[in-house]
Amino acid sequence: MRRSVIKEDLLASVHFLFPSVCMICGRVLVEGKNCGEKMLELQICSSCLSAFPVRPSSERWFPCLSDPYEGDPIPDLPVWALFHYEAPVTTLLRRMKFHSKKYCGVMIGELMGMEFPSDMPFQWDAVIPLPLSGKRMEQRGFNQAEVLAKGLSEHLGVHLCNNVIRKIRHTKQQSRFTEPSHRAENVKGAFAVDENWDITGWNILLVDDILTTGATMHEAAKILIENGASRVIGAVAATHRENIEN
């Protein structure tokens, strides 16, 4: 018997004994019945996927800072967000960040990559995830922004560069602060571009999981621009903010 046939039989047996289930509702996934080929790969059923709080395409762009200030060196920094900050996206992001369920982030990153605009009037040079501090990385074991960035990198056909920018000091979690000014102060001076990289003239897609006040994204983008980047645009999975002007 040929090896390929044996392999197919083994895979069929594995799928029979351990069928794929939707990561949200737990139902067994059956291609052509409650999911398509891609949904089977992402481990989600069509019913749960349809419940995702997807923003209309005209409502996905935001100014980075919720509280802009006079003299901002990058006042026009735009950020793209695919989802409203609602369940089940919030549930999946929390599972990824606080319960080490990376596969939840892989699915969201894939959806971000599938939906992110492919018709930009310029060429991307890098997809860069916002870095964690060494302490936070040791605690979590992985960078959630990097998990999301991988989906964007693969769909856009752009290099994922996860060590261009470093977090050079540990900061308190931004969720501890409600005032935009306190969040900005918390991350001030927290990032640096690695000395081994020359990013002069680069167009960079900077990725994080959530956009709240935008202080962290803004601080990292400012450092990239100061080190020679030509353009920085942000991309996040979700934000609670709403568009007033599109």
Side-chain angles (χ1 to χ4, degrees), residues 36-47:
E37 181 179 358
K38 188 63 178 179
M39 286 185 284
L40 181 61
E41 179 185 328
L42 295 176
Q43 291 183 259
I44 186 168
C45 70
S46 55
S47 177

Side-chain angles (χ1 to χ4, degrees), residues 173-221:
Q173 289 184 325
Q174 288 287 68
S175 58
R176 295 187 180 186
F177 304 98
T178 56
E179 290 294 323
S181 60
H182 295 163
R183 285 176 173 252
E185 187 63 30
N186 185 48
V187 295
K188 187 176 181 179
F191 300 103
V193 171
D194 190 279
E195 61 185 11
N196 294 312
W197 289 91
D198 179 6
I199 61 172
T200 303
W202 280 23
N203 295 315
I204 294 171
L205 184 61
L206 186 62
V207 182
D208 201 7
D209 55 347
I210 300 165
L211 178 71
T212 307
T213 65
T216 306
M217 179 77 73
H218 185 273
E219 182 68 16

Side-chain angles (χ1 to χ4, degrees), residues 37-222:
E37 181 179 358
K38 188 63 178 179
M39 286 185 284
L40 181 61
E41 179 185 328
L42 295 176
Q43 291 183 259
I44 186 168
C45 70
S46 55
S47 177
C48 287
L49 184 60
S50 67
F52 272 44
V54 180
R55 293 177 173 277
S57 57
S58 61
E59 299 178 9
R60 296 179 184 176
W61 288 101
F62 298 82
C64 182
L65 291 179
S66 62
D67 189 28
Y69 63 91
E70 188 174 349
D72 181 358
I74 48 172
D76 299 321
L77 177 65
V79 180
W80 178 89
L82 179 57
F83 301 109
H84 294 278
Y85 188 67
E86 300 171 4
V89 171
T90 49
T91 303
L92 294 172
L93 290 174
R94 290 190 191 107
R95 285 181 188 172
M96 172 177 63
K97 290 175 68 172
F98 304 119
H99 301 284
S100 300
K101 307 296 186 183
K102 287 176 67 174
Y103 59 85
C104 295
V106 170
M107 181 185 66
I108 292 177
E110 278 284 318
L111 296 174
M112 290 172 68
M114 292 165 64
E115 289 292 321
F116 190 83
S118 58
D119 56 352
M120 292 293 189
F122 55 83
Q123 295 292 317
W124 294 107
D125 294 290
V127 175
I128 296 178
L130 270 169
L132 294 178
S133 66
K135 180 179 179 180
R136 189 66 42 75
M137 187 72 173
E138 185 177 346
Q139 291 172 343
R140 190 165 295 164
F142 65 93
N143 180 2
Q144 74 276 1
E146 184 178 342
V147 175
L148 300 177
K150 186 177 180 182
L152 285 158
S153 169
E154 291 177 350
H155 281 274
L156 293 172
V158 181
H159 290 298
L160 174 63
C161 300
N162 59 8
N163 56 357
V164 169
I165 187 171
R166 297 181 293 109
K167 197 167 187 182
I168 56 177
R169 69 176 179 83
H170 183 68
T171 59
K172 294 179 180 179
Q173 289 184 325
Q174 288 287 68
S175 58
R176 295 187 180 186
F177 304 98
T178 56
E179 290 294 323
S181 60
H182 295 163
R183 285 176 173 252
E185 187 63 30
N186 185 48
V187 295
K188 187 176 181 179
F191 300 103
V193 171
D194 190 279
E195 61 185 11
N196 294 312
W197 289 91
D198 179 6
I199 61 172
T200 303
W202 280 23
N203 295 315
I204 294 171
L205 184 61
L206 186 62
V207 182
D208 201 7
D209 55 347
I210 300 165
L211 178 71
T212 307
T213 65
T216 306
M217 179 77 73
H218 185 273
E219 182 68 16
K222 181 164 69 73

